[in-house]
Amino acid sequence: MKACKKALLLVDLQNDFCPGGSLAVPEGDAVVPVANQLQEVFALVVASKDWHPRGHISFASSHPGHSIGEVTEVHHLAQELWPDHCIQESRGAEFHPQLRTEKIQKVVYKGSDPAIDSYSAFFDNEHQRSTGLGEYLLVQGVEDVYIMGLATDYCVKYSCQDAVKLGFKVYVIEDGCRGVNLKPGDAVRTLAEMRAEGVQVLKSADLVKSSG
Ligand code: VGL
Ligand code: ZN
């Protein structure tokens, strides 16, 4: 197998995170063409799917008396409470219909433990269990991971942080991400935080310009 130094990671490009979905990220669908274009310049493309059972711990509906957008505590970790979303096998959990998927070589599923949330594509929020993505990338010889998707301030952020911890060189594609922005400015602040943590912030044009 040929070693592939670079990989593109597409985070949670699912219907529920796009306009019309249950946890719609503003302009979430605007990153789908970016994902399709970037896939052309990567030999290795991987993706994550948020994949929750009904009654998942991250759903406000599982916490009577609490509402969407509140932050509660689960096993001593802060847990944002969300609308029901990305229910396993539902239409909302499917990739956006315009996303090209034929080049995606591995899809990892996260958030399937009913009692633990998983923002990162690599580990659950308690760092108890790996999705297998880190191991997969290492076996492929990957050193550089380029990350984009939804949402900047949650799953993209946690995925970038874990990728750095695992020793990858990490790039985030700014125009390939959109934020939930529970608090105004969250996504912008997240990008600044990531820069400070060693993540390089790029634009998709930096990667595709030479091939046009
Ligand atoms: C996400 C909130 C809840 C994400 C997933 O993909 O950023 N956000 N579950
Ligand atoms: Zn989720």
Coordinates of all heavy atoms in Angstrom, one line a residue, residues 160-194:
C160 N -9.7 18.9 15.7 CA -8.4 19.5 15.5 C -7.6 19.3 16.7 O -6.4 19.0 16.7 CB -8.6 21.0 15.2 SG -9.2 21.4 13.6
Q161 N -8.2 19.5 17.9 CA -7.4 19.4 19.1 C -6.9 18.0 19.3 O -5.7 17.8 19.7 CB -8.3 19.8 20.3 CG -8.5 21.3 20.4 CD -9.4 21.8 21.5 OE1 -10.3 21.0 21.9 NE2 -9.3 23.0 22.0
D162 N -7.7 17.0 19.1 CA -7.3 15.6 19.2 C -6.2 15.3 18.2 O -5.3 14.5 18.5 CB -8.5 14.6 19.1 CG -9.2 14.5 20.4 OD1 -8.7 14.9 21.5 OD2 -10.4 14.0 20.4
A163 N -6.4 15.8 17.0 CA -5.4 15.5 15.9 C -4.0 16.0 16.3 O -3.0 15.4 16.1 CB -5.9 16.0 14.6
V164 N -4.0 17.2 16.9 CA -2.7 17.8 17.4 C -2.2 16.9 18.5 O -1.0 16.5 18.5 CB -2.9 19.2 17.9 CG1 -1.7 19.7 18.7 CG2 -3.3 20.2 16.8
K165 N -3.0 16.5 19.4 CA -2.5 15.6 20.5 C -2.0 14.3 20.0 O -1.0 13.8 20.6 CB -3.7 15.3 21.5 CG -4.0 16.4 22.5 CD -5.1 15.9 23.5 CE -5.8 17.1 24.0 NZ -7.2 16.8 24.4
L166 N -2.5 13.8 18.9 CA -2.0 12.5 18.4 C -0.7 12.7 17.6 O -0.2 11.7 17.1 CB -3.1 11.9 17.5 CG -4.3 11.3 18.2 CD1 -5.5 11.0 17.2 CD2 -3.9 10.1 19.0
G167 N -0.3 14.0 17.4 CA 1.0 14.2 16.8 C 0.9 14.5 15.3 O 1.9 14.6 14.6
F168 N -0.3 14.7 14.8 CA -0.4 15.1 13.4 C -0.1 16.6 13.2 O -0.3 17.3 14.1 CB -1.8 14.8 12.8 CG -2.2 13.3 12.8 CD1 -3.1 12.8 13.7 CD2 -1.6 12.5 11.9 CE1 -3.4 11.4 13.7 CE2 -1.9 11.1 11.8 CZ -2.8 10.6 12.8
K169 N 0.3 16.9 12.0 CA 0.4 18.4 11.7 C -1.1 18.7 11.2 O -1.6 18.0 10.3 CB 1.4 18.6 10.6 CG 1.6 20.0 10.1 CD 3.0 20.4 10.2 CE 3.1 21.9 10.0 NZ 2.2 22.7 10.9
V170 N -1.7 19.7 11.8 CA -3.1 19.9 11.5 C -3.4 21.3 10.9 O -2.8 22.3 11.3 CB -3.9 19.8 12.9 CG1 -5.4 20.0 12.6 CG2 -3.6 18.5 13.6
Y171 N -4.2 21.2 9.8 CA -4.6 22.4 9.1 C -6.1 22.4 9.1 O -6.8 21.4 9.0 CB -4.2 22.3 7.6 CG -2.7 22.1 7.4 CD1 -2.1 20.9 7.5 CD2 -1.9 23.2 7.2 CE1 -0.7 20.8 7.4 CE2 -0.5 23.1 7.0 CZ 0.1 21.9 7.1 OH 1.4 21.7 7.0
V172 N -6.7 23.6 9.4 CA -8.1 23.7 9.3 C -8.5 24.7 8.1 O -7.8 25.7 7.9 CB -8.8 24.2 10.6 CG1 -8.3 25.6 11.0 CG2 -10.3 24.1 10.6
I173 N -9.5 24.3 7.4 CA -9.8 25.1 6.2 C -11.0 26.0 6.6 O -12.1 25.6 6.7 CB -10.1 24.2 5.0 CG1 -8.9 23.4 4.7 CG2 -10.6 25.0 3.8 CD1 -9.1 21.9 4.4
E174 N -10.7 27.3 6.7 CA -11.6 28.3 7.3 C -12.9 28.4 6.5 O -14.0 28.3 7.1 CB -10.9 29.6 7.2 CG -11.5 30.7 8.0 CD -10.6 32.0 8.1 OE1 -9.6 32.0 7.5 OE2 -11.1 32.9 8.8
D175 N -12.8 28.5 5.2 CA -14.1 28.6 4.4 C -14.8 27.3 4.2 O -15.9 27.2 3.7 CB -13.8 29.2 3.0 CG -12.7 28.5 2.3 OD1 -11.7 28.2 2.8 OD2 -12.9 28.2 1.1
G176 N -14.2 26.2 4.7 CA -14.8 24.9 4.7 C -15.6 24.6 6.0 O -16.0 23.5 6.2
C177 N -15.7 25.6 6.9 CA -16.3 25.4 8.2 C -17.3 26.5 8.4 O -17.2 27.6 7.9 CB -15.3 25.5 9.3 SG -13.9 24.3 9.2
R178 N -18.3 26.1 9.2 CA -19.3 27.1 9.7 C -19.6 26.8 11.2 O -19.5 25.6 11.5 CB -20.6 27.1 8.9 CG -20.6 27.6 7.5 CD -20.2 29.1 7.4 NE -20.3 29.6 6.1 CZ -19.4 29.5 5.1 NH1 -18.2 28.8 5.4 NH2 -19.5 30.0 3.9
G179 N -19.9 27.8 11.9 CA -20.1 27.6 13.4 C -21.6 27.7 13.8 O -22.4 28.3 13.1
V180 N -21.8 27.0 14.9 CA -23.2 27.1 15.6 C -23.4 28.5 16.1 O -24.4 29.1 16.0 CB -23.3 26.0 16.7 CG1 -24.7 26.2 17.4 CG2 -23.1 24.6 16.2
N181 N -22.3 29.0 16.8 CA -22.3 30.4 17.4 C -23.5 30.5 18.4 O -24.3 31.4 18.4 CB -22.4 31.5 16.3 CG -21.1 31.6 15.6 OD1 -20.0 31.7 16.2 ND2 -21.2 31.6 14.3
L182 N -23.5 29.5 19.4 CA -24.5 29.6 20.5 C -24.3 31.0 21.1 O -25.2 31.7 21.5 CB -24.2 28.5 21.5 CG -24.9 27.2 21.4 CD1 -24.6 26.3 22.6 CD2 -26.4 27.4 21.2
K183 N -23.0 31.4 21.3 CA -22.7 32.8 21.7 C -22.1 33.4 20.5 O -21.2 32.9 19.8 CB -21.7 32.8 22.8 CG -22.2 32.4 24.2 CD -21.4 32.9 25.4 CE -20.1 32.2 25.5 NZ -20.1 30.8 25.8
P184 N -22.6 34.7 20.1 CA -22.1 35.3 18.9 C -20.5 35.4 19.0 O -20.0 35.7 20.1 CB -22.7 36.7 19.0 CG -23.9 36.6 19.9 CD -23.6 35.5 20.9
G185 N -19.9 35.1 17.9 CA -18.4 35.1 17.9 C -17.7 33.9 18.2 O -16.5 33.8 18.1
D186 N -18.5 32.8 18.6 CA -17.8 31.6 19.1 C -16.9 31.0 18.0 O -15.8 30.6 18.3 CB -18.9 30.5 19.4 CG -19.4 30.6 20.8 OD1 -18.8 31.4 21.6 OD2 -20.3 29.9 21.2
A187 N -17.4 31.0 16.7 CA -16.6 30.4 15.7 C -15.3 31.1 15.4 O -14.2 30.5 15.3 CB -17.4 30.3 14.4
V188 N -15.4 32.5 15.4 CA -14.2 33.3 15.2 C -13.2 33.1 16.3 O -12.0 32.9 16.1 CB -14.6 34.8 15.1 CG1 -13.3 35.7 15.1 CG2 -15.4 35.0 13.8
R189 N -13.7 33.0 17.6 CA -12.8 32.8 18.7 C -12.2 31.4 18.6 O -11.0 31.2 19.0 CB -13.6 32.9 20.0 CG -13.7 34.3 20.6 CD -14.3 34.4 22.0 NE -15.7 33.9 22.0 CZ -16.7 34.6 21.8 NH1 -16.6 35.9 21.4 NH2 -18.0 34.1 21.8
T190 N -13.0 30.5 18.2 CA -12.4 29.1 18.1 C -11.3 29.0 17.1 O -10.2 28.4 17.4 CB -13.6 28.1 17.6 OG1 -14.6 28.1 18.6 CG2 -13.0 26.7 17.4
L191 N -11.3 29.7 16.0 CA -10.2 29.7 15.0 C -9.0 30.3 15.7 O -7.9 29.8 15.5 CB -10.6 30.4 13.8 CG -11.6 29.7 12.8 CD1 -12.0 30.6 11.7 CD2 -11.1 28.3 12.4
A192 N -9.2 31.4 16.4 CA -8.0 32.0 17.1 C -7.4 31.1 18.1 O -6.2 30.9 18.2 CB -8.4 33.3 17.8
E193 N -8.3 30.4 18.9 CA -7.8 29.4 19.9 C -7.0 28.3 19.2 O -5.9 27.8 19.7 CB -9.0 28.7 20.5 CG -9.4 29.2 21.9 CD -10.7 28.5 22.3 OE1 -10.7 27.3 22.5 OE2 -11.7 29.2 22.4
M194 N -7.5 27.8 18.1 CA -6.9 26.7 17.4 C -5.5 27.1 16.9 O -4.5 26.4 17.0 CB -7.7 26.2 16.2 CG -9.0 25.5 16.8 SD -9.7 24.4 15.6 CE -10.6 25.5 14.6

